[in-house]
Amino acid sequence: MIALIRNRDYYGLSLSLLIIISTIAQKYTALAIALFVIVFIVDLIVSKKYSFAGTWPHFLLMGLFLFYAAGLLWSEHVDIGIKLLEYKMSFFIFPLLFLMRKKGIDFWQIIPSFIIANFFLTVALSVYSLVNKVSVDVASMELFNIHPTYSSTYILIAGFILIIGYRQKGLSISKTSLFIVIGYWLIIVILLISFANILFLMCAVFVVIAVLLFQKKGPLIGWSFLILSPFCGYLILNNTPFLDYDVRTAKDTISEFYNEPQDFLCDNLHTDAGTKLRPILWILSVEIIQKYPFGVGLGDIDYHIEDRASFYGVTHLEDHALNPHNQFLQIAIDIGLPGMYYLIILLLLIAGIAIRRKDYILLFVVSNLIFNSLFES
């Protein structure tokens, strides 16, 4: 960022500011986007240092926005749908803005802003948690109004970028400082108690270890580790004290659902366990999708989930107005199965590009997005 200031690169500075604001002060994101757009347009006209950089993922992301917009056509609550569509504008605005790329812009001059934002985020969470004597996950909601899963996702991505930056020499940081920061961030991620991200982190670590073993020890050792890794993960999860409740509930849920899938919903009508609420929401969501394969219309999902919850007598779901807690089910209910298939294909194609280009940061981000989309929406 110092280089951006020294070179008076207002495009880079406004983009860095947007990254910081959207990470730790999300209610001001719209203002940061407006500032970035203004700087981009002025710089585009004045500097003339931009070239067309559009690729098909840009247009596919814009197409996803059009899918959502089409969902208004059969919505019974267009006013709510329009408000939701505003939240989806990023699928259109950002690909449109990045169709033109400034010549000479360096990724590693911009990305420190995300690392700085996450360092501030973790320190603020730690201080707030200690001063107010609340857990870190509660601090995330009270201080930043960010769901703990999203906070832990930001921190994991920032940590991975820091590691890649160190290995590729894109970021100037000593090995000691790297270990301290990564260790501190891992503690915060664990204290945020996002079971999904803890599972993702464990899987990511196993994959990295397996790749290294393949490279250094050969296929036999690599495949042996991959085969044993699920058992290692099971042992780790079962012997981690603060995960005891989540692990036990998850095992009970899987066992109940596998043995008596037809009775699972009725047997858990009054449960408050998040691990059991999700399968209930998924069951209700699948029933809605079966009835409306082309979606209920953007803005109508809450009413249909409440209706199915009322049918089964799951009254506490009505009170909380919970979403499906699965992004793929969410989009299928909103705009239909074609929209869900479109999203899945888009994510897999982007992951394929990341693998082909050996872009490990993009692969990590997309993998995390896919994994968390199974449990959040």
Side-chain angles (χ1 to χ4, degrees), residues 310-361:
S310 177
F311 176 80
Y312 286 105
V314 194
T315 53
H316 59 301
L317 288 186
E318 296 180 70
D319 296 335
H320 294 294
L322 294 173
N323 60 53
H325 277 67
N326 180 298
Q327 186 57 47
F328 303 110
L329 294 177
Q330 171 99 25
I331 194 172
I333 296 174
D334 277 333
I335 56 177
L337 289 172
M340 184 188 75
Y341 296 142
Y342 186 96
L343 176 63
I344 292 171
I345 292 170
L346 172 60
L347 291 172
L348 292 178
L349 288 174
I350 293 175
I353 288 176
I355 293 171
R356 189 168 66 253
R357 295 180 180 176
K358 295 184 178 180
D359 188 336
Y360 302 117
I361 293 175

Short mmCIF file of all heavy atoms in Angstrom, two decimals, residues 310-361:
data_model
loop_
_atom_site.label_atom_id
_atom_site.label_comp_id
_atom_site.label_asym_id
_atom_site.label_seq_id
_atom_site.Cartn_x
_atom_site.Cartn_y
_atom_site.Cartn_z
N SER A 310 -45.05 -24.59 9.52
CA SER A 310 -46.37 -24.60 10.16
C SER A 310 -47.09 -25.93 9.91
O SER A 310 -47.75 -26.47 10.80
CB SER A 310 -47.21 -23.44 9.63
OG SER A 310 -48.51 -23.46 10.19
N PHE A 311 -46.94 -26.47 8.70
CA PHE A 311 -47.58 -27.75 8.34
C PHE A 311 -47.12 -28.87 9.26
O PHE A 311 -47.91 -29.73 9.67
CB PHE A 311 -47.27 -28.08 6.88
CG PHE A 311 -47.79 -29.41 6.43
CD1 PHE A 311 -49.13 -29.55 6.08
CD2 PHE A 311 -46.95 -30.52 6.37
CE1 PHE A 311 -49.63 -30.80 5.67
CE2 PHE A 311 -47.44 -31.76 5.95
CZ PHE A 311 -48.78 -31.89 5.60
N TYR A 312 -45.79 -28.87 9.59
CA TYR A 312 -45.24 -29.92 10.45
C TYR A 312 -45.28 -29.55 11.94
O TYR A 312 -44.91 -30.37 12.78
CB TYR A 312 -43.80 -30.24 10.05
CG TYR A 312 -43.69 -31.03 8.77
CD1 TYR A 312 -43.28 -30.42 7.59
CD2 TYR A 312 -44.00 -32.38 8.74
CE1 TYR A 312 -43.18 -31.14 6.41
CE2 TYR A 312 -43.91 -33.11 7.56
CZ TYR A 312 -43.49 -32.49 6.40
OH TYR A 312 -43.40 -33.22 5.24
N GLY A 313 -45.67 -28.30 12.23
CA GLY A 313 -45.72 -27.87 13.61
C GLY A 313 -44.37 -27.48 14.19
O GLY A 313 -44.17 -27.49 15.41
N VAL A 314 -43.43 -27.13 13.32
CA VAL A 314 -42.10 -26.69 13.78
C VAL A 314 -42.19 -25.19 14.05
O VAL A 314 -41.68 -24.36 13.28
CB VAL A 314 -41.01 -27.00 12.73
CG1 VAL A 314 -39.63 -26.87 13.35
CG2 VAL A 314 -41.19 -28.40 12.17
N THR A 315 -42.84 -24.83 15.13
CA THR A 315 -43.19 -23.43 15.39
C THR A 315 -41.98 -22.54 15.62
O THR A 315 -41.99 -21.36 15.26
CB THR A 315 -44.12 -23.33 16.60
OG1 THR A 315 -43.52 -24.02 17.72
CG2 THR A 315 -45.46 -23.98 16.31
N HIS A 316 -40.92 -23.08 16.24
CA HIS A 316 -39.76 -22.23 16.52
C HIS A 316 -39.03 -21.84 15.24
O HIS A 316 -38.32 -20.83 15.21
CB HIS A 316 -38.78 -22.90 17.50
CG HIS A 316 -38.24 -24.21 17.04
ND1 HIS A 316 -39.03 -25.29 16.74
CD2 HIS A 316 -36.96 -24.61 16.84
CE1 HIS A 316 -38.27 -26.31 16.38
NE2 HIS A 316 -37.01 -25.92 16.42
N LEU A 317 -39.20 -22.59 14.14
CA LEU A 317 -38.64 -22.17 12.86
C LEU A 317 -39.39 -20.96 12.33
O LEU A 317 -38.80 -20.05 11.75
CB LEU A 317 -38.71 -23.31 11.84
CG LEU A 317 -37.76 -24.49 12.04
CD1 LEU A 317 -37.87 -25.43 10.86
CD2 LEU A 317 -36.33 -24.03 12.21
N GLU A 318 -40.71 -20.94 12.55
CA GLU A 318 -41.50 -19.78 12.14
C GLU A 318 -41.06 -18.54 12.89
O GLU A 318 -40.94 -17.45 12.32
CB GLU A 318 -42.98 -20.04 12.41
CG GLU A 318 -43.59 -21.19 11.62
CD GLU A 318 -45.06 -21.38 11.95
OE1 GLU A 318 -45.87 -20.51 11.58
OE2 GLU A 318 -45.38 -22.37 12.62
N ASP A 319 -40.79 -18.70 14.17
CA ASP A 319 -40.41 -17.55 15.00
C ASP A 319 -39.09 -16.95 14.56
O ASP A 319 -38.91 -15.73 14.58
CB ASP A 319 -40.30 -17.98 16.48
CG ASP A 319 -41.65 -18.44 17.04
OD1 ASP A 319 -42.69 -18.00 16.50
OD2 ASP A 319 -41.65 -19.24 17.99
N HIS A 320 -38.14 -17.81 14.15
CA HIS A 320 -36.81 -17.32 13.77
C HIS A 320 -36.69 -16.95 12.29
O HIS A 320 -35.72 -16.32 11.90
CB HIS A 320 -35.75 -18.37 14.11
CG HIS A 320 -35.59 -18.62 15.57
ND1 HIS A 320 -35.11 -17.68 16.44
CD2 HIS A 320 -35.87 -19.71 16.33
CE1 HIS A 320 -35.08 -18.17 17.67
NE2 HIS A 320 -35.54 -19.40 17.63
N ALA A 321 -37.69 -17.31 11.48
CA ALA A 321 -37.66 -17.04 10.04
C ALA A 321 -36.32 -17.45 9.43
O ALA A 321 -35.65 -16.68 8.76
CB ALA A 321 -37.93 -15.55 9.77
N LEU A 322 -35.93 -18.71 9.68
CA LEU A 322 -34.63 -19.20 9.24
C LEU A 322 -34.61 -19.48 7.74
O LEU A 322 -35.61 -19.87 7.15
CB LEU A 322 -34.28 -20.48 10.00
CG LEU A 322 -34.05 -20.32 11.50
CD1 LEU A 322 -33.87 -21.68 12.15
CD2 LEU A 322 -32.84 -19.45 11.78
N ASN A 323 -33.44 -19.26 7.13
CA ASN A 323 -33.26 -19.60 5.72
C ASN A 323 -32.81 -21.06 5.61
O ASN A 323 -32.56 -21.70 6.63
CB ASN A 323 -32.25 -18.64 5.08
CG ASN A 323 -30.88 -18.70 5.77
OD1 ASN A 323 -30.31 -19.77 5.91
ND2 ASN A 323 -30.37 -17.56 6.19
N PRO A 324 -32.68 -21.60 4.40
CA PRO A 324 -32.33 -23.03 4.25
C PRO A 324 -30.96 -23.43 4.80
O PRO A 324 -30.69 -24.61 4.97
CB PRO A 324 -32.38 -23.24 2.73
CG PRO A 324 -33.29 -22.18 2.23
CD PRO A 324 -33.05 -20.99 3.11
N HIS A 325 -30.09 -22.47 5.07
CA HIS A 325 -28.73 -22.78 5.52
C HIS A 325 -28.01 -23.70 4.54
O HIS A 325 -27.26 -24.59 4.92
CB HIS A 325 -28.75 -23.39 6.92
CG HIS A 325 -28.83 -22.35 8.01
ND1 HIS A 325 -29.94 -21.57 8.20
CD2 HIS A 325 -27.93 -21.95 8.95
CE1 HIS A 325 -29.74 -20.74 9.21
NE2 HIS A 325 -28.52 -20.94 9.67
N ASN A 326 -28.27 -23.47 3.27
CA ASN A 326 -27.57 -24.15 2.18
C ASN A 326 -27.79 -23.28 0.95
O ASN A 326 -28.93 -23.14 0.49
CB ASN A 326 -28.12 -25.56 1.98
CG ASN A 326 -27.42 -26.30 0.85
OD1 ASN A 326 -27.47 -25.89 -0.30
ND2 ASN A 326 -26.77 -27.41 1.19
N GLN A 327 -26.72 -22.71 0.42
CA GLN A 327 -26.86 -21.75 -0.66
C GLN A 327 -27.44 -22.37 -1.92
O GLN A 327 -28.18 -21.72 -2.67
CB GLN A 327 -25.51 -21.10 -0.98
CG GLN A 327 -25.57 -19.98 -2.00
CD GLN A 327 -26.53 -18.87 -1.59
OE1 GLN A 327 -26.51 -18.41 -0.45
NE2 GLN A 327 -27.38 -18.44 -2.51
N PHE A 328 -27.15 -23.64 -2.14
CA PHE A 328 -27.65 -24.30 -3.34
C PHE A 328 -29.16 -24.51 -3.25
O PHE A 328 -29.89 -24.33 -4.23
CB PHE A 328 -26.92 -25.62 -3.55
CG PHE A 328 -25.42 -25.45 -3.66
CD1 PHE A 328 -24.58 -25.90 -2.66
CD2 PHE A 328 -24.86 -24.81 -4.76
CE1 PHE A 328 -23.21 -25.72 -2.75
CE2 PHE A 328 -23.48 -24.64 -4.87
CZ PHE A 328 -22.66 -25.09 -3.85
N LEU A 329 -29.64 -24.90 -2.06
CA LEU A 329 -31.07 -25.02 -1.85
C LEU A 329 -31.74 -23.65 -1.90
O LEU A 329 -32.86 -23.51 -2.42
CB LEU A 329 -31.37 -25.70 -0.51
CG LEU A 329 -30.94 -27.16 -0.39
CD1 LEU A 329 -31.24 -27.68 1.02
CD2 LEU A 329 -31.63 -28.03 -1.42
N GLN A 330 -31.06 -22.65 -1.34
CA GLN A 330 -31.61 -21.29 -1.32
C GLN A 330 -31.87 -20.78 -2.74
O GLN A 330 -32.95 -20.27 -3.05
CB GLN A 330 -30.62 -20.34 -0.61
CG GLN A 330 -30.96 -18.87 -0.71
CD GLN A 330 -31.66 -18.33 0.52
OE1 GLN A 330 -31.51 -18.87 1.61
NE2 GLN A 330 -32.41 -17.26 0.35
N ILE A 331 -30.88 -20.93 -3.61
CA ILE A 331 -31.04 -20.41 -4.96
C ILE A 331 -32.06 -21.24 -5.74
O ILE A 331 -32.79 -20.71 -6.59
CB ILE A 331 -29.67 -20.36 -5.70
CG1 ILE A 331 -29.79 -19.51 -6.97
CG2 ILE A 331 -29.16 -21.74 -6.03
CD1 ILE A 331 -28.46 -19.26 -7.65
N ALA A 332 -32.14 -22.55 -5.44
CA ALA A 332 -33.14 -23.40 -6.11
C ALA A 332 -34.55 -22.98 -5.73
O ALA A 332 -35.45 -23.00 -6.58
CB ALA A 332 -32.91 -24.87 -5.74
N ILE A 333 -34.75 -22.59 -4.46
CA ILE A 333 -36.08 -22.13 -4.04
C ILE A 333 -36.37 -20.76 -4.63
O ILE A 333 -37.47 -20.48 -5.09
CB ILE A 333 -36.17 -22.07 -2.50
CG1 ILE A 333 -36.03 -23.47 -1.89
CG2 ILE A 333 -37.51 -21.46 -2.06
CD1 ILE A 333 -35.97 -23.49 -0.39
N ASP A 334 -35.37 -19.88 -4.63
CA ASP A 334 -35.56 -18.51 -5.14
C ASP A 334 -35.87 -18.49 -6.63
O ASP A 334 -36.87 -17.91 -7.06
CB ASP A 334 -34.31 -17.67 -4.88
CG ASP A 334 -34.26 -17.11 -3.47
OD1 ASP A 334 -35.33 -16.92 -2.87
OD2 ASP A 334 -33.14 -16.86 -2.98
N ILE A 335 -34.99 -19.11 -7.43
CA ILE A 335 -35.11 -18.95 -8.88
C ILE A 335 -35.10 -20.28 -9.64
O ILE A 335 -34.98 -20.30 -10.86
CB ILE A 335 -33.99 -18.03 -9.43
CG1 ILE A 335 -32.61 -18.57 -9.05
CG2 ILE A 335 -34.16 -16.61 -8.91
CD1 ILE A 335 -31.45 -17.76 -9.61
N GLY A 336 -35.21 -21.39 -8.90
CA GLY A 336 -35.40 -22.67 -9.55
C GLY A 336 -34.13 -23.51 -9.72
O GLY A 336 -33.02 -23.04 -9.52
N LEU A 337 -34.35 -24.75 -10.11
CA LEU A 337 -33.23 -25.68 -10.32
C LEU A 337 -32.27 -25.22 -11.41
O LEU A 337 -31.06 -25.43 -11.28
CB LEU A 337 -33.78 -27.07 -10.66
CG LEU A 337 -34.46 -27.81 -9.49
CD1 LEU A 337 -35.13 -29.08 -9.98
CD2 LEU A 337 -33.45 -28.12 -8.40
N PRO A 338 -32.75 -24.57 -12.50
CA PRO A 338 -31.79 -24.07 -13.49
C PRO A 338 -30.78 -23.09 -12.87
O PRO A 338 -29.60 -23.12 -13.22
CB PRO A 338 -32.69 -23.36 -14.52
CG PRO A 338 -33.99 -24.08 -14.43
CD PRO A 338 -34.15 -24.41 -12.97
N GLY A 339 -31.24 -22.23 -11.96
CA GLY A 339 -30.35 -21.30 -11.28
C GLY A 339 -29.34 -22.02 -10.41
O GLY A 339 -28.17 -21.63 -10.34
N MET A 340 -29.78 -23.09 -9.73
CA MET A 340 -28.87 -23.87 -8.89
C MET A 340 -27.80 -24.55 -9.74
O MET A 340 -26.61 -24.52 -9.40
CB MET A 340 -29.65 -24.91 -8.09
CG MET A 340 -28.80 -25.69 -7.11
SD MET A 340 -29.66 -27.08 -6.33
CE MET A 340 -29.67 -28.26 -7.69
N TYR A 341 -28.22 -25.17 -10.85
CA TYR A 341 -27.25 -25.83 -11.74
C TYR A 341 -26.26 -24.81 -12.32
O TYR A 341 -25.07 -25.10 -12.47
CB TYR A 341 -27.98 -26.56 -12.87
CG TYR A 341 -28.87 -27.69 -12.40
CD1 TYR A 341 -30.09 -27.94 -13.00
CD2 TYR A 341 -28.47 -28.52 -11.35
CE1 TYR A 341 -30.92 -28.98 -12.57
CE2 TYR A 341 -29.28 -29.56 -10.91
CZ TYR A 341 -30.50 -29.78 -11.52
OH TYR A 341 -31.31 -30.80 -11.09
N TYR A 342 -26.77 -23.64 -12.65
CA TYR A 342 -25.92 -22.57 -13.18
C TYR A 342 -24.84 -22.21 -12.17
O TYR A 342 -23.66 -22.07 -12.53
CB TYR A 342 -26.79 -21.36 -13.49
CG TYR A 342 -26.08 -20.22 -14.18
CD1 TYR A 342 -26.11 -20.08 -15.57
CD2 TYR A 342 -25.36 -19.25 -13.46
CE1 TYR A 342 -25.47 -19.04 -16.22
CE2 TYR A 342 -24.71 -18.22 -14.09
CZ TYR A 342 -24.77 -18.10 -15.46
OH TYR A 342 -24.12 -17.07 -16.09
N LEU A 343 -25.23 -22.05 -10.89
CA LEU A 343 -24.27 -21.70 -9.84
C LEU A 343 -23.23 -22.79 -9.65
O LEU A 343 -22.02 -22.51 -9.54
CB LEU A 343 -25.00 -21.43 -8.53
CG LEU A 343 -24.11 -21.14 -7.31
CD1 LEU A 343 -23.30 -19.87 -7.52
CD2 LEU A 343 -24.94 -21.03 -6.04
N ILE A 344 -23.68 -24.04 -9.61
CA ILE A 344 -22.76 -25.16 -9.42
C ILE A 344 -21.74 -25.23 -10.56
O ILE A 344 -20.52 -25.37 -10.32
CB ILE A 344 -23.53 -26.50 -9.31
CG1 ILE A 344 -24.36 -26.53 -8.02
CG2 ILE A 344 -22.57 -27.68 -9.36
CD1 ILE A 344 -25.31 -27.72 -7.93
N ILE A 345 -22.22 -25.14 -11.79
CA ILE A 345 -21.32 -25.19 -12.95
C ILE A 345 -20.34 -24.02 -12.92
O ILE A 345 -19.14 -24.19 -13.19
CB ILE A 345 -22.14 -25.18 -14.26
CG1 ILE A 345 -22.93 -26.48 -14.39
CG2 ILE A 345 -21.23 -24.98 -15.48
CD1 ILE A 345 -23.95 -26.48 -15.52
N LEU A 346 -20.84 -22.83 -12.57
CA LEU A 346 -19.97 -21.65 -12.49
C LEU A 346 -18.84 -21.85 -11.48
O LEU A 346 -17.67 -21.59 -11.78
CB LEU A 346 -20.82 -20.43 -12.10
CG LEU A 346 -20.06 -19.12 -11.79
CD1 LEU A 346 -19.27 -18.67 -13.00
CD2 LEU A 346 -21.04 -18.03 -11.35
N LEU A 347 -19.18 -22.34 -10.29
CA LEU A 347 -18.16 -22.55 -9.25
C LEU A 347 -17.15 -23.62 -9.66
O LEU A 347 -15.94 -23.45 -9.44
CB LEU A 347 -18.84 -22.94 -7.93
CG LEU A 347 -19.66 -21.84 -7.25
CD1 LEU A 347 -20.43 -22.40 -6.06
CD2 LEU A 347 -18.78 -20.69 -6.80
N LEU A 348 -17.64 -24.70 -10.27
CA LEU A 348 -16.73 -25.77 -10.70
C LEU A 348 -15.81 -25.31 -11.83
O LEU A 348 -14.63 -25.68 -11.86
CB LEU A 348 -17.53 -26.99 -11.13
CG LEU A 348 -18.29 -27.73 -10.01
CD1 LEU A 348 -19.09 -28.89 -10.59
CD2 LEU A 348 -17.33 -28.23 -8.94
N LEU A 349 -16.34 -24.51 -12.73
CA LEU A 349 -15.51 -24.00 -13.83
C LEU A 349 -14.43 -23.06 -13.31
O LEU A 349 -13.28 -23.10 -13.77
CB LEU A 349 -16.39 -23.29 -14.86
CG LEU A 349 -17.27 -24.20 -15.73
CD1 LEU A 349 -18.19 -23.37 -16.61
CD2 LEU A 349 -16.41 -25.13 -16.58
N ILE A 350 -14.78 -22.19 -12.34
CA ILE A 350 -13.79 -21.29 -11.76
C ILE A 350 -12.72 -22.10 -11.01
O ILE A 350 -11.53 -21.80 -11.09
CB ILE A 350 -14.46 -20.27 -10.83
CG1 ILE A 350 -15.34 -19.32 -11.64
CG2 ILE A 350 -13.41 -19.46 -10.06
CD1 ILE A 350 -16.14 -18.35 -10.80
N ALA A 351 -13.16 -23.15 -10.30
CA ALA A 351 -12.20 -24.02 -9.61
C ALA A 351 -11.28 -24.69 -10.63
O ALA A 351 -10.07 -24.83 -10.40
CB ALA A 351 -12.94 -25.07 -8.79
N GLY A 352 -11.84 -25.09 -11.78
CA GLY A 352 -11.03 -25.70 -12.84
C GLY A 352 -9.99 -24.74 -13.38
O GLY A 352 -8.84 -25.12 -13.64
N ILE A 353 -10.37 -23.48 -13.56
CA ILE A 353 -9.42 -22.46 -14.02
C ILE A 353 -8.29 -22.29 -13.00
O ILE A 353 -7.12 -22.20 -13.36
CB ILE A 353 -10.14 -21.11 -14.22
CG1 ILE A 353 -11.04 -21.16 -15.45
CG2 ILE A 353 -9.14 -19.96 -14.38
CD1 ILE A 353 -11.86 -19.90 -15.66
N ALA A 354 -8.67 -22.26 -11.71
CA ALA A 354 -7.67 -22.09 -10.65
C ALA A 354 -6.67 -23.24 -10.67
O ALA A 354 -5.46 -23.03 -10.51
CB ALA A 354 -8.36 -21.99 -9.30
N ILE A 355 -7.15 -24.46 -10.87
CA ILE A 355 -6.27 -25.63 -10.90
C ILE A 355 -5.36 -25.57 -12.12
O ILE A 355 -4.15 -25.82 -12.02
CB ILE A 355 -7.10 -26.94 -10.91
CG1 ILE A 355 -7.84 -27.10 -9.58
CG2 ILE A 355 -6.21 -28.14 -11.17
CD1 ILE A 355 -8.84 -28.23 -9.57
N ARG A 356 -5.93 -25.22 -13.27
CA ARG A 356 -5.15 -25.17 -14.52
C ARG A 356 -4.06 -24.10 -14.45
O ARG A 356 -2.95 -24.31 -14.93
CB ARG A 356 -6.08 -24.90 -15.70
CG ARG A 356 -5.40 -25.05 -17.05
CD ARG A 356 -6.39 -25.06 -18.19
NE ARG A 356 -7.09 -23.78 -18.34
CZ ARG A 356 -8.35 -23.58 -18.04
NH1 ARG A 356 -9.07 -24.58 -17.55
NH2 ARG A 356 -8.92 -22.41 -18.22
N ARG A 357 -4.39 -22.96 -13.82
CA ARG A 357 -3.42 -21.86 -13.72
C ARG A 357 -2.53 -21.98 -12.49
O ARG A 357 -1.66 -21.14 -12.28
CB ARG A 357 -4.16 -20.53 -13.67
CG ARG A 357 -4.93 -20.18 -14.94
CD ARG A 357 -5.63 -18.85 -14.78
NE ARG A 357 -6.37 -18.48 -15.99
CZ ARG A 357 -7.13 -17.39 -16.08
NH1 ARG A 357 -7.24 -16.57 -15.04
NH2 ARG A 357 -7.77 -17.12 -17.19
N LYS A 358 -2.78 -22.99 -11.66
CA LYS A 358 -2.09 -23.14 -10.38
C LYS A 358 -2.23 -21.89 -9.52
O LYS A 358 -1.29 -21.45 -8.86
CB LYS A 358 -0.61 -23.47 -10.61
CG LYS A 358 -0.40 -24.83 -11.29
CD LYS A 358 1.07 -25.18 -11.41
CE LYS A 358 1.24 -26.55 -12.06
NZ LYS A 358 2.67 -26.93 -12.19
N ASP A 359 -3.43 -21.32 -9.57
CA ASP A 359 -3.76 -20.15 -8.76
C ASP A 359 -4.33 -20.66 -7.44
O ASP A 359 -5.54 -20.85 -7.29
CB ASP A 359 -4.78 -19.27 -9.49
CG ASP A 359 -5.02 -17.94 -8.79
OD1 ASP A 359 -4.78 -17.86 -7.57
OD2 ASP A 359 -5.47 -16.99 -9.46
N TYR A 360 -3.44 -20.90 -6.47
CA TYR A 360 -3.84 -21.55 -5.23
C TYR A 360 -4.75 -20.67 -4.37
O TYR A 360 -5.58 -21.19 -3.62
CB TYR A 360 -2.60 -21.97 -4.45
CG TYR A 360 -1.70 -22.90 -5.24
CD1 TYR A 360 -0.40 -22.53 -5.58
CD2 TYR A 360 -2.17 -24.15 -5.66
CE1 TYR A 360 0.41 -23.38 -6.33
CE2 TYR A 360 -1.37 -24.99 -6.41
CZ TYR A 360 -0.08 -24.61 -6.74
OH TYR A 360 0.71 -25.45 -7.48
N ILE A 361 -4.58 -19.36 -4.47
CA ILE A 361 -5.43 -18.46 -3.70
C ILE A 361 -6.87 -18.54 -4.20
O ILE A 361 -7.81 -18.68 -3.40
CB ILE A 361 -4.91 -17.01 -3.76
CG1 ILE A 361 -3.56 -16.92 -3.03
CG2 ILE A 361 -5.90 -16.04 -3.14
CD1 ILE A 361 -2.89 -15.57 -3.13
#
